[in-house]
Amino acid sequence: MDDQRCPCGSGDVLGGCCGPLLAGAPAPTAERLMRSRYTAFALGDVAHLLATWHPSTRPRSLDVDPGLEWRRLVIVDRSAGGPFDREGIVEFEAFWTHGGERGSQRERSRFVREERRWLYVDGETT
């Protein structure tokens, strides 16, 4: 599986892109964390989603719909979120299919960096 294209759309293979982050490596930027979270949704990796969610907003549990197929990720905008920032914002649009239906989710997500680890705080759908 590590030699398949990464679902985040970077063009790299999973093992050279989001795979190490899903295995616990810290993301260097807010955007990289957001891409790994998209990949986790695409692969159904609930453990990664919960582990990268800030404790102040993290749900106790999370269910992902196995019938929902995440098809493509587009980064719309980003603000801060670099290796030396404490906060960052990443706006994205994620395209999905479910049965014969298609759609997308556009969100402006907030991230914070604590103890050298980026964490997802919350997002506002647009």
Side-chain angles (χ1 to χ4, degrees), residues 7-8 18 22 33-50 52-53 59 61-71 73 92 94-96 105 107 109 111 120:
C8 82
C18 292
L22 296 179
L33 179 62
M34 198 283 313
R35 285 181 174 279
S36 77
R37 288 177 56 80
Y38 170 84
T39 296
F41 272 108
L43 299 177
D45 188 341
V46 172
H48 179 71
L49 294 167
L50 292 173
T52 58
W53 210 312
S61 64
L62 184 65
D63 294 322
V64 293
D65 183 346
L68 187 67
E69 184 178 350
W70 293 100
R71 306 287 297 173
L73 174 67
F92 68 90
F95 296 84
W96 53 265
Q105 175 181 331
E107 181 177 304
S109 299
F111 297 86
Y120 170 77

Side-chain angles (χ1 to χ4, degrees), residues 55-118:
S56 68
T57 57
R58 180 188 309 137
R60 288 180 188 250
S61 64
L62 184 65
D63 294 322
V64 293
D65 183 346
L68 187 67
E69 184 178 350
W70 293 100
R71 306 287 297 173
R72 184 167 54 102
L73 174 67
V74 175
I75 303 300
V76 177
D77 192 20
R78 62 183 133 334
S79 175
F84 303 106
D85 294 318
R86 295 179 70 82
E87 298 178 347
I89 294 175
V90 179
E91 186 173 347
F92 68 90
E93 188 166 7
F95 296 84
W96 53 265
T97 59
H98 190 272
E101 192 177 339
R102 295 176 182 215
S104 70
Q105 175 181 331
R106 189 164 175 160
E107 181 177 304
R108 189 166 175 81
S109 299
R110 290 188 318 131
F111 297 86
V112 295
R113 189 167 60 90
E114 294 181 353
E115 299 178 14
R116 298 183 181 176
R117 294 190 81 83
W118 283 101

